[in-house]
Amino acid sequence: ESDRLAKFVHKGLVKELQKRYKTVKNRGVRQAPFYVLIGAEMPAILVEIGYITNSIENRRLKSKSYLKRAASGIVKGIDSYIKDMGLTYKGG
């Protein structure tokens, strides 16, 4: 289930970022045994939105508008995942 969640979040994130930042690369969804995710009893993912060693991404990671757009894409991906499961979110 984590893989399905990751795919939804990835799609939402890339789609949202590419609206404004045409050079954002789609590096796909990857799997690895990250310590922070091992043993999770619910779907769990780790989202990386850029590399500080890349000068362009480093500059973007310092931008509030980039971070807001990235957060929006993540939220849209989670929302799509929830809807795909036939559930609705009633939070605030």
Side-chain angles (χ1 to χ4, degrees), residues 7-44:
K7 288 175 182 172
F8 276 97
V9 170
H10 177 260
K11 182 178 177 181
L13 179 60
V14 171
K15 184 176 179 181
E16 189 65 24
L17 289 176
Q18 286 181 341
K19 287 179 185 177
R20 168 70 175 83
Y21 305 93
K22 304 298 181 199
T23 60
V24 166
K25 294 182 181 171
N26 181 342
R27 299 186 193 276
V29 173
R30 299 179 189 174
Q31 293 184 356
F34 292 106
Y35 182 78
V36 295
L37 302 178
I38 294 173
E41 296 181 10
M42 73 284 301

